[in-house]
Amino acid sequence: MNTPDELGFHRELQGSQIDTEWFSPRGEPRYLLNWRVSLVYQEAGQRQTFRGRVFDLSRTGFSLLSDHNLPVSDQVTVLISVPPMAAGQRPRILEVKSRVLYTVLSSEFQQFRIGVRFLDFKADGRRYLDANLAARVPAPVSTRRGE
């Protein structure tokens, strides 16, 4: 299993001038969400799909909760169902080539917590996600569990 340093997370520095209270080890604000997500694995001509719920999300990736222990993989296709910001609109599905970084069993949630890093958004998915997150308030570190 990879260590956080191998995964590119930064360490909190003693005496740092950076306000780490509002930023995660991903280096980006996190947003606590409950969006539906599917991960599609393609291997040896076979396709497997796993479903779960986004637990927290930043511009660089997300963690999800799933009943399945997903394998770490260099590339999966992630389909995120982003709920509409206004009544009468439909959810938007974002397609993102991503990498599964880790999977651990969460005793708190009795599910597997999986860490995923975004690699490449399809179409205008990155712009849409950025606009959606800009309308939200990031979670303070003190409300995030497991950090």
Side-chain angles (χ1 to χ4, degrees):
M1 186 161 151
N2 293 332
T3 66
D5 287 334
E6 292 171 328
L7 300 176
F9 296 114
H10 74 274
R11 293 182 190 165
E12 285 191 19
L13 302 174
Q14 295 293 337
S16 172
Q17 298 301 312
I18 298 171
D19 180 8
T20 57
E21 180 68 20
W22 294 98
F23 290 89
S24 72
R26 288 184 209 144
E28 297 278 343
R30 289 191 189 193
Y31 300 83
L32 299 178
L33 304 167
N34 189 20
W35 294 351
R36 293 180 307 148
V37 63
S38 296
L39 278 76
V40 182
Y41 287 80
Q42 291 276 141
E43 190 173 311
Q46 291 193 313
R47 182 176 171 163
Q48 284 189 296
T49 302
F50 298 94
R51 290 175 176 75
R53 304 294 282 186
V54 171
F55 178 74
D56 70 45
L57 182 135
S58 70
R59 289 191 80 248
T60 57
F62 66 97
S63 67
L64 72 113
L65 298 173
S66 175
D67 291 331
H68 302 282
N69 184 8
L70 305 182
V72 172
S73 175
D74 281 344
Q75 189 163 313
V76 296
T77 300
V78 171
L79 303 170
I80 302 172
S81 178
V82 181
M85 295 294 282
Q89 296 178 342
R90 300 181 68 121
R92 170 113 184 246
I93 305 298
L94 301 183
E95 183 175 327
V96 190
K97 297 295 181 197
S98 302
R99 174 175 294 148
V100 175
L101 299 176
Y102 67 85
T103 180
V104 295
L105 180 59
S106 169
S107 59
E108 179 181 0
F109 297 104
Q110 299 301 308
Q111 288 184 302
F112 290 96
R113 186 165 173 173
I114 295 106
V116 179
R117 180 186 305 164
F118 296 137
L119 298 176
D120 186 37
F121 283 79
K122 184 174 181 179
D124 69 339
R126 162 61 73 196
R127 196 168 51 247
Y128 185 85
L129 180 62
D130 287 348
N132 189 287
L133 294 180
R136 298 176 182 278
V137 176
V141 172
S142 61
T143 64
R144 297 184 209 141
R145 299 177 186 247
E147 292 190 22

